[in-house]
Amino acid sequence: MHVPDGFINAPVSAAAGVVAAGAVAVSLRGARRELDERTAPLAGLVAAFIFAVQMLNFPVAAGTSGHLLGGALAAILVGPFTGVLCVSVVLLMQGILFADGGLTALGVNITVMGVVTTVVGYAVFRGLVKVLPKKRRSATVSAFAAALLSVPAAAAAFTLVYAVGGTTDVPIGQVLTAMVGVHVLIGIGEATITALTVGAVIAVRPDLVYGARGLTAPLKLRVNGELVDAPAASASAQPVPVAALPHSRLRSSGG
């Protein structure tokens, strides 16, 4: 989906550049609320992972191939604002180092592949996890659906940009059919990778998944036959041995 130089005319490319710059500026401010000393390193890993996986193309149909876009994955793991920044950095590096997407079309690429996929993916994910049972499997299913829908949404957004500023003579109807049709198939691959990645992180460190915060059931302690809330952990507090609690057993209230 990387748009090359000259595929979109100069006025529309410039307008998309303004939109992309505004989105990045807003994301820089929003990322301050999303990142802390634990999640900041994860953002770097997410950007590196998206960069690496985007270099791997898988066959789709009729001689076409696709690759991970990564917006939904980044938004779910590190937050929508940080997700926009991660994908934007990846697209910038690809354009400079590998000429993958034109530099004059960088604004179009960031808007379509970074902003649209991130916003749509995160909105779908949060909408689903609010109505599904609060279980790890629900987060994985929601991640699959979020990534699946984010890819054709980006294809539709590109079609809209092309309709306004495309420089070729291909009819808009053909562009829409080809882009959305192919990217529905690409979305299946993206959804699979996203669901597996999010599921793996949640299984090990659910506290690091930004989109899944608040979904984990609170830890309970059984003391003298009654369930009570476990004390909140703090950075300065010393761990209390379970043996110090009379007749206590750890128990999770989640399913």
Side-chain angles (χ1 to χ4, degrees):
M1 192 182 289
H2 289 77
V3 180
D5 289 322
F7 200 75
I8 304 297
N9 63 32
V12 174
S13 295
V18 172
V19 172
V24 170
V26 172
S27 297
L28 285 170
R29 295 177 61 89
R32 298 175 183 176
R33 301 190 299 269
E34 295 174 345
L35 297 177
D36 53 32
E37 65 277 1
R38 295 180 305 161
T39 56
L42 180 62
L45 292 175
V46 168
F49 178 76
I50 293 174
F51 183 89
V53 178
Q54 279 199 6
M55 303 302 291
L56 304 176
N57 287 270
F58 51 87
V60 179
T64 61
S65 62
H67 59 74
L68 181 82
L69 298 184
L73 175 63
I76 294 168
L77 289 180
V78 294
F81 294 110
T82 308
V84 170
L85 297 179
C86 288
V87 179
S88 298
V89 169
V90 169
L91 294 173
L92 176 61
M93 291 297 100
Q94 288 177 339
I96 294 176
L97 299 178
F98 302 102
D100 197 357
L103 292 180
T104 61
L106 183 62
V108 175
N109 286 321
I110 289 177
T111 300
V112 172
M113 299 173 62
V115 178
V116 173
T117 57
T118 300
V119 172
V120 172
Y122 191 74
V124 172
F125 179 82
R126 289 300 302 176
L128 288 176
V129 296
K130 287 181 179 180
V131 299
L132 293 176
K134 292 187 177 182
K135 295 182 179 181
R136 188 174 67 192
R137 183 177 301 177
S138 298
T140 304
V141 171
S142 300
F144 184 94
L148 180 63
L149 294 176
S150 70
V151 177
F158 165 77
T159 304
L160 178 61
V161 173
Y162 174 84
V164 177
T167 58
T168 66
D169 296 328
V170 181
I172 188 62
Q174 293 184 13
V175 174
L176 177 64
T177 301
M179 286 294 294
V180 175
V182 168
H183 282 86
V184 166
L185 299 177
I186 294 175
I188 296 174
E190 170 121 2
T192 301
I193 295 173
T194 300
L196 291 175
T197 305
V198 172
V201 177
I202 288 180
V204 179
R205 288 292 303 273
D207 59 304
L208 293 182
V209 181
Y210 182 89
R213 291 179 180 179
L215 302 179
T216 305
L219 186 67
K220 297 285 187 178
L221 288 174
R222 184 176 294 276
V223 181
N224 296 328
E226 296 183 0
L227 286 177
V228 298
D229 292 331
S234 63
S236 60
Q238 295 296 324
V240 179
V242 174
L245 298 172
H247 309 293
S248 65
R249 288 186 296 175
L250 287 173
R251 179 186 177 95
S252 175
S253 63

